[in-house]
């Protein structure tokens, strides 16, 4: 039994030894595996690190290759930031909509740039009463002012007035309430010169700064209204068209003034003539102040006997915006006596019949026939004023 016992012992001890050896072998294998794994990780990571430091070196290199730039100045001066932080409530829409003072100190370039801006959203988020901008291009005082005062009376909020007069005019003439403080920064204007259009663009730009202005009419000191304010206002505000006179004049005083150096932007076929006394909507006014393609050509090539004021707007509008244009003027004028200037009205020539004739014709208005072709008329001498004041209530209802 003992031997069997001992043999059994021997057997179990051998088995356990064998088992132990196997266990050692497993430990060893695990150890080797862990070691191999560690070494592999080490090799890989060292490789990556090398790569990384290489690319770091590279960026450092390329950065140092760039020219050194001075630090940027802060976008807003410190004091302005302080002012903005003091009161947030004062930057309201109302402030933004308020037109700047008519007598600002913007130069033409600044003014046209600012005026050329328009809202991309067509609906107004506030109650907007559309106004008509009456723009007077004059040499001196608006001598018809007393008549215009009567015309505007009681319609405040539906119109705005702008006056561009010769800088040499010293303004000593007493200004009536409607015209008081409505002179815009003006420059020298000569008859038939391109600086006349510069003045018209200056007037349009100033009027565009008021978001309420919807229609824009150019007038002179010798112009008079032919209807009362409510009639003129609804005629203009409800109109679907612009009133820039434009026609093709084959003679020397039309096509004869064309300059071939305006090619290829303006061809002889596109050249138009018309009275400078326009009436237009806000969209077209924006296009006129923003035009940087056609106007420079007129500045360059329409000098001397070209008479830019009779050709720039008719040509520009006929090329690009003919669709909305009626091609006629709203300002009545008498060319029947011939010559380069229209007839002037003397005191004795101002009668009820003459005015009635100007007020009735046959025209198209919004594609319909109308008897009211003209809203304004020229040229009335200062001496006609007292007579007009007397006739106005009878004929014009104001
Ligand atoms: C901010 O401005 C508004 C209007 O101009 C004024 O009523 C208000 O008192 C001002 N608030 C402060 C804190 O200055
Ligand atoms: C300027 O004013 C003076 C006096 O105030 C006047 O005599 C002169 O005629 C005026 N000049 C013009 C161009 O209006
Ligand atoms: C304005 O003139 C029109 C005719 O053109 C007339 O029917 C209307 O009554 C006048 N309005 C006023 C307020 O006088
Ligand atoms: C425009 O025309 C419409 C319809 O004829 C009229 O109701 C409206 O009062 C007119 N607007 C103005 C400003 O006259
Ligand atoms: C105005 O003139 C242009 C040509 O310059 C023409 O295409 C257009 O039909 C005219 N518009 C009207 C209303 O007569
Ligand atoms: C033309 O007149 C008719 C009838 O008076 C009117 O129904 C139509 O709306 C008018 N057309 C335009 C474009 O004003």
């Amino acid at each position: 039994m003992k031997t069997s016992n001992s043999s059994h012992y021997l057997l179990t001890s051998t088995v356990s030894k064998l088992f132990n050896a196997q266990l050692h072998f497993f430990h060893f294998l695990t150890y080797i595996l862990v070691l191999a794994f560690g070494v592999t990780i080490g090799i890989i990571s060292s490789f990556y690190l090398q790569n990384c430091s290489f690319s770091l070196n590279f960026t450092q290199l390329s950065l140092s290759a760039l020219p050194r730039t001075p630090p940027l100045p802060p976008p807003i001066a410190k004091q302005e930031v302080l002012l903005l932080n003091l009161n947030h409530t004062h930057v309201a829409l109302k402030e933004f909509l308020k037109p700047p003072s008519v007598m600002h100190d913007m130069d033409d370039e600044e003014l046209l740039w600012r005026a050329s801006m328009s809202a991309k959203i067509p609906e107004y988020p506030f109650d907007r009463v559309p106004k008509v901008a009456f723009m007077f291009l004059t040499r001196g005082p608006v001598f018809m002012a007393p008549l215009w005062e009567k015309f505007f009376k009681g319609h405040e909020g539906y119109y705005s007035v702008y006056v561009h007069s010769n800088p040499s005019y010293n303004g000593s003439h007493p200004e009536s309430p409607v015209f008081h403080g409505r002179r815009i920064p003006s420059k020298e204007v000569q008859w038939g010169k391109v600086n006349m259009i510069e003045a018209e663009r200056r007037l349009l730009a100033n009027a565009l700064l008021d978001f309420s202005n919807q229609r824009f009419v150019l007038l002179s000191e010798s112009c008079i209204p032919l209807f009362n304010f409510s009639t003129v206002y609804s005629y203009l505000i409800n109109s679907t068209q612009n009133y820039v006179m434009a026609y093709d004049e084959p003679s020397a005083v039309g096509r004869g003034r064309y300059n071939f150096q305006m090619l290829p932007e303006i061809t002889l076929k596109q050249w138009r003539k018309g009275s400078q006394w326009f009436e237009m909507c806000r969209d077209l006014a924006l296009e006129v102040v923003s035009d940087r393609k056609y106007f420079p050509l007129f500045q360059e090539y329409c000098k001397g006997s070209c008479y830019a004021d009779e050709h720039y707007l008719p040509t520009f509008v006929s090329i690009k915006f003919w669709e909305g244009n009626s091609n006629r003027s709203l300002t009545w004028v008498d060319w029947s006596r011939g010559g380069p200037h229209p007839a002037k009205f003397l005191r004795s020539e101002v009668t009820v019949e003459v005015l009635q004739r100007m007020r009735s014709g046959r025209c198209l208005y919004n594609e319909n026939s109308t008897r009211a072709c003209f809203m304004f008329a020229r040229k009335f001498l200062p001496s006609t004023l007292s007579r007009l004041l007397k006739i106005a209530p009878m004929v014009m209802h104001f």
Side-chain angles (χ1 to χ4, degrees):
M1 265 314 273
K2 208 178 177 176
T3 46
S4 74
N5 251 358
S6 67
S7 70
H8 178 245
Y9 170 72
L10 210 82
L11 195 76
T12 41
S13 85
T14 319
V15 165
S16 80
K17 260 184 196 157
L18 219 95
F19 186 71
N20 267 356
Q22 241 172 358
L23 212 78
H24 274 291
F25 178 67
F26 263 121
H27 276 182
F28 181 64
L29 204 73
T30 322
Y31 180 72
I32 289 287
L33 273 175
V34 165
L35 194 77
F37 186 67
V39 166
T40 316
I41 290 277
I43 286 170
I44 289 173
S45 61
S46 80
F47 185 73
Y48 263 94
L49 270 172
Q50 246 175 8
N51 250 4
C52 211
S53 68
F54 173 73
S55 61
L56 261 175
N57 273 347
F58 184 75
T59 26
Q60 266 167 358
L61 219 104
S62 60
L63 266 177
S64 61
L66 281 174
R68 288 182 68 84
T69 47
L72 290 170
I76 309 175
K78 272 207 176 85
Q79 213 174 358
E80 276 179 75
V81 174
L82 264 175
L83 277 174
L84 281 174
N85 286 343
L86 265 178
N87 196 338
H88 289 285
T89 53
H90 79 282
V91 196
L93 185 64
K94 220 166 130 189
E95 288 294 317
F96 176 75
L97 295 175
K98 214 189 300 178
S101 160
V102 168
M103 207 57 196
H104 52 74
D105 64 356
M106 283 182 269
D107 63 26
D108 281 355
E109 196 189 353
E110 295 168 335
L111 173 70
L112 291 173
W113 178 77
R114 183 167 171 185
S116 72
M117 295 181 186
S118 69
K120 207 161 183 135
I121 298 177
E123 296 84 17
Y124 294 93
F126 55 93
D127 232 359
R128 177 180 183 260
V129 177
K131 290 199 283 189
V132 176
F134 292 82
M135 310 182 299
F136 290 85
L137 180 57
T138 74
R139 263 171 283 255
V142 185
F143 51 73
M144 284 291 168
L147 189 72
W148 286 105
E149 288 286 342
K150 280 187 80 168
F151 170 80
F152 288 124
K153 197 162 188 270
H155 301 286
E156 291 75 22
Y158 293 93
Y159 66 87
S160 32
V161 169
Y162 302 87
V163 181
H164 185 293
S165 48
N166 211 310
S168 65
Y169 165 57
N170 60 16
S172 57
H173 197 87
E175 283 178 322
S176 59
V178 161
F179 296 91
H180 182 76
R182 301 307 298 174
R183 250 180 104 174
I184 65 165
S186 310
K187 287 187 185 165
E188 180 79 16
V189 169
Q190 291 141 305
W191 181 72
K193 292 272 173 69
V194 86
N195 57 20
M196 182 96 102
I197 303 166
E198 285 164 11
E200 292 174 14
R201 279 158 60 100
R202 212 172 282 133
L203 275 164
L204 278 173
N206 274 281
L208 278 168
L209 298 185
D210 186 339
F211 291 105
S212 301
N213 286 330
Q214 183 58 31
R215 303 290 306 200
F216 302 75
V217 55
L218 183 71
L219 301 157
S220 79
E221 63 263 70
S222 74
C223 283
I224 63 161
L226 287 174
F227 290 88
N228 60 20
F229 185 87
S230 42
T231 304
V232 171
Y233 180 82
S234 51
Y235 195 98
L236 301 187
I237 294 290
N238 259 349
S239 177
T240 56
Q241 287 183 307
N242 294 301
Y243 301 90
V244 178
M245 190 184 194
Y247 59 97
D248 184 13
E249 170 61 60
S251 75
V253 293
R255 289 193 177 204
R257 295 175 181 170
Y258 171 75
N259 186 337
F260 281 96
Q261 284 175 286
M262 291 181 171
L263 282 172
E265 286 85 357
I266 304 170
T267 64
L268 179 61
K269 258 185 88 176
Q270 292 172 321
W271 186 252
R272 289 290 179 279
K273 188 179 179 173
S275 154
Q276 78 181 103
W277 308 101
F278 63 78
E279 197 285 328
M280 59 175 67
C281 68
R282 192 173 177 92
D283 288 346
L284 183 55
L286 273 163
E287 298 291 348
V288 172
V289 300
S290 323
D291 171 31
R292 284 156 55 77
K293 182 176 175 186
Y294 300 96
F295 187 53
L297 288 172
F298 277 80
Q299 284 176 307
E300 185 81 10
Y301 303 118
C302 187
K303 291 174 179 163
S305 55
C306 174
Y307 303 105
D309 58 302
E310 289 185 354
H311 297 281
Y312 167 63
L313 275 181
T315 303
F316 171 67
V317 172
S318 294
I319 291 174
K320 289 195 75 184
F321 307 101
W322 59 272
E323 268 178 297
N325 193 18
S326 66
N327 299 341
R328 68 180 178 97
S329 173
L330 285 185
T331 305
W332 191 93
V333 70
D334 181 12
W335 285 104
S336 65
R337 295 177 222 179
H341 295 280
K344 286 177 180 150
F345 279 91
L346 306 171
R347 184 181 161 80
S348 56
E349 291 166 320
V350 176
T351 62
V352 171
E353 291 72 43
V354 162
L355 290 178
Q356 290 291 20
R357 208 177 64 228
M358 294 173 185
R359 282 161 53 94
S360 58
R362 185 77 39 222
C363 290
L364 279 183
Y365 173 77
N366 292 354
E367 294 160 9
N368 274 350
S369 179
T370 178
R371 291 195 64 80
C373 299
F374 302 105
M375 291 290 112
F376 313 98
R378 59 195 287 267
K379 308 175 91 169
F380 290 80
L381 291 172
S383 59
T384 60
L385 177 61
S386 57
R387 219 180 156 100
L388 282 167
L389 283 170
K390 228 165 79 188
I391 297 179
M394 274 188 282
V395 184
M396 280 105 87
H397 309 279
F398 65 82

